[in-house]
Amino acid sequence: MRKDELRTPCYVVQESKLRKNLEILKSVRQETGCHILLAQKAFSMYHLYPLIGEYLDGATASGLHEARLGYEEMGKENHIFSPAYKEEEMPEILKMCDHIVFNSPAQFRKYKDQVRAYGRRTDGQDGSADAGSMYGGCAGGRSMGLRINPECSTQEGHAIYDPCAPFSRLGTTLEQMQAELTEEEISELDGLHFHTLCEQNSDDLATTLRAVEEKFGKYLHQMKWVNFGGGHHITREDYDLELLKKCIRHVKETYDVEVYLEPGEAVALNAGEMITEVLEIVDNGMKIAILDASAACHMPDVLEMPYRPPLKDAWEPNAEESVVCREGSETAEDGSLHGECAGGRQYIYRLAGPTCLAGDVIGDYAFDHPLQCGERLEFQDMAIYTMVKTNTFNGMNLPDIVLERENGECEIVRTFGYEDFKSRL
Ligand SMILES: *Cc1c(COP(=O)(O)O)cnc(C)c1O
């Protein structure tokens, strides 16, 4: 099927763009000897896990279900972190995960003996024997780590994405670690994990590493591995790969540890789009186009983060104009409205979803032509943090999931319907 024949709304992931990202990640692995895992919470299109597994070392999970997906569909290294584990889930987690990261001293103490006991079993009854040989790096057991909080904020603006913000529940500070764990207990840890970045470059990683080393340096020497978490925008054009590699080599060499990275975004950054259709246009002081895609249901980060997603062949309107915009407003002489708009005119629309939520608004965009009902629009960078976050609020259908092969052929991987709405209620 060709792209223009697809039913809307749909997410279309481009294999060529995904591979391009994966090549970059693979080169980092090969040049530094680090391990790179897919953080599934950003991108769980498991149809592509075999392909991703060709380039990366495995996957990491935020909980039992993601862990199972990584285990079943990728079958390589399988890590898990959770702020708090449920007791009844631990046997299954132990069966499927080779690296288990705890968030607090109390969680580590609660489960460490169970984890160690699992590792000692060699009868294979619980899957440990075959799992031990299946996963490299933790033969005969399960590797345990503690997530630390280096108390080093490097991001402004997005407080909900800052695990180093005041009163954060994510990670253990040095003070908590020393107050709550004995030296002997600390010696039972195999690794330390920190995750403090979000869409950041390697200069912020370097800053964070300085704080990690300053605070936790003496413990790093005792560890087998250090996990740098995610939030590394490695596949972004302006990302400083050399500094990243320097950071990895520095930690590997100074502390004689394996280094892990677990990016989510960077794996599928700019590797997919969402295609939607204009259903109707209303006018209430400005033109508002109602789409068959919803911000609230299909791209909740637009409202949560919030941000305005890039849209193909459209521009950000001038801020003043967007309030009073009207169809066909003239571009200012000095080009302060978008010079890109052909013919000196721009057509400004507020793009909004079909739900009953008044705030289901994606944003205001300028076009070089008046929009028509039935016209298709392509939101860009829609592979990550979209299909993993969809919901069926208002009974909205979920977008089809499509893979565009390198030859342009589109394969429909998954379609949704009424049953998917009903089965959740
Ligand atoms: C969110 C998260 C990641 C992935 O983050 P990205 O920003 O998608 O790279 C990795 N590890 C942990 C612990 C996370 O919470």
Side-chain angles (χ1 to χ4, degrees):
M1 197 179 266
R2 306 303 297 180
K3 201 155 100 176
D4 55 12
E5 298 167 324
L6 295 169
R7 182 175 84 143
T8 61
C10 59
Y11 300 113
V12 184
V13 172
Q14 278 94 28
E15 180 182 354
S16 59
K17 292 181 179 169
L18 185 68
R19 281 192 192 270
K20 207 172 126 215
N21 289 344
L22 289 165
E23 289 289 350
I24 295 171
L25 296 169
K26 187 175 173 184
S27 74
V28 172
R29 285 177 57 219
Q30 287 177 332
E31 286 173 40
T32 63
C34 76
H35 301 237
I36 302 186
L37 310 169
L38 165 71
Q40 295 176 83
K41 80 163 193 265
F43 185 69
S44 303
M45 188 174 160
Y46 60 88
H47 184 72
L48 291 167
Y49 282 11
L51 185 152
I52 294 171
E54 290 171 26
Y55 296 83
L56 305 186
D57 296 278
T60 186
S62 323
L64 177 64
H65 287 174
E66 282 185 1
R68 180 168 165 188
L69 194 65
Y71 179 77
E72 290 180 349
E73 302 294 335
M74 198 168 324
K76 298 188 76 180
E77 279 194 55
N78 208 28
H79 295 222
I80 187 168
F81 162 79
S82 175
Y85 293 100
K86 286 170 93 83
E87 276 172 35
E88 64 265 35
E89 291 181 350
M90 195 44 83
E92 214 183 335
I93 287 171
L94 281 171
K95 194 172 135 217
M96 297 184 301
C97 298
D98 42 281
H99 288 66
I100 299 162
V101 179
F102 297 101
N103 187 52
S104 59
Q107 282 274 300
F108 171 57
R109 185 173 291 132
K110 180 171 177 182
Y111 291 111
K112 70 184 176 60
D113 293 336
Q114 192 183 348
V115 177
R116 285 277 173 252
Y118 187 90
R120 277 197 297 272
R121 291 187 61 170
T122 52
D123 54 14
Q125 207 179 40
D126 50 14
S128 62
D130 60 348
S133 56
M134 181 174 165
Y135 301 114
C138 64
R142 295 290 177 261
S143 205
M144 285 188 280
L146 181 70
R147 177 166 173 173
I148 54 172
N149 175 357
E151 299 175 87
C152 173
S153 287
T154 50
Q155 38 178 319
E156 297 131 37
H158 294 138
I160 71 162
Y161 297 111
D162 183 4
C164 294
F167 311 117
S168 169
R169 73 188 181 295
L170 300 169
T172 301
T173 63
L174 179 65
E175 198 187 324
Q176 290 162 347
M177 184 168 159
Q178 291 178 332
E180 295 176 40
L181 292 178
T182 64
E183 290 294 323
E184 199 190 321
E185 285 171 317
I186 293 172
S187 75
E188 291 181 73
L189 284 167
D190 302 298
L192 293 179
H193 174 294
F194 64 87
H195 168 75
T196 67
L197 305 180
C198 178
E199 302 187 340
Q200 282 163 281
N201 212 317
S202 45
D203 53 342
D204 289 327
L205 171 63
T207 303
T208 303
L209 265 182
R210 275 195 293 278
V212 168
E213 290 189 80
E214 212 179 282
K215 295 193 160 85
F216 296 90
K218 85 171 205 199
Y219 301 117
L220 291 180
H221 290 285
Q222 301 171 219
M223 299 295 155
K224 296 192 182 77
W225 51 265
V226 178
N227 188 321
F228 292 3
H232 317 279
H233 241 187
I234 301 171
T235 50
R236 196 174 75 198
E237 214 132 86
D238 68 342
Y239 189 86
D240 184 351
L241 282 167
E242 291 314 310
L243 181 57
L244 170 69
K245 292 178 204 162
K246 209 174 129 190
C247 290
I248 296 168
R249 291 189 184 111
H250 167 74
V251 170
K252 272 178 75 86
E253 285 159 18
T254 311
Y255 304 100
D256 190 24
V257 288
E258 294 296 326
V259 167
Y260 282 92
L261 303 181
E262 45 181 38
E265 284 218 20
V267 174
L269 188 65
N270 291 312
E273 57 214 20
M274 180 164 66
I275 306 178
T276 173
E277 183 181 303
V278 178
L279 297 178
E280 193 54 86
I281 295 169
V282 297
D283 193 335
N284 181 18
M286 70 181 296
K287 297 272 182 192
I288 304 145
I290 300 169
L291 310 179
D292 62 4
S294 155
C297 300
H298 305 147
M299 36 183 152
D301 268 4
V302 164
L303 304 181
E304 243 175 64
M305 205 167 185
Y307 81 109
R308 170 173 30 199
L311 181 66
K312 190 172 170 227
D313 299 329
W315 303 275
E316 182 178 346
N318 175 289
E320 293 154 34
E321 281 294 305
S322 67
V323 183
V324 290
C325 60
R326 59 216 179 264
E327 193 177 333
S329 57
E330 298 291 331
T331 303
E333 283 294 295
D334 65 359
S336 61
L337 299 191
H338 284 257
E340 302 99 316
C341 285
R345 289 167 86 78
Q346 63 170 357
Y347 300 84
I348 298 170
Y349 293 84
R350 175 159 296 179
L351 302 184
T355 70
C356 65
L357 173 71
D360 190 356
V361 168
I362 299 150
D364 295 351
Y365 295 83
F367 298 84
D368 66 1
H369 63 278
L371 290 184
Q372 306 290 331
C373 292
E375 189 169 341
R376 288 178 166 219
L377 303 176
E378 280 183 26
F379 288 101
Q380 290 166 323
D381 196 17
M382 281 286 146
I384 46 178
Y385 292 108
T386 49
M387 50 187 113
V388 291
K389 297 189 90 172
T390 50
N391 63 76
T392 56
F393 176 57
N394 271 219
M396 286 291 298
N397 199 16
L398 300 171
D400 288 350
I401 296 176
V402 179
L403 174 61
E404 185 179 352
R405 293 288 184 188
E406 301 192 75
N407 63 8
E409 194 57 29
C410 289
E411 281 170 29
I412 298 169
V413 171
R414 181 85 158 89
T415 60
F416 299 91
Y418 171 68
E419 286 307 324
D420 296 288
F421 162 60
K422 188 181 178 190
S423 67
R424 292 162 37 130
L425 298 167

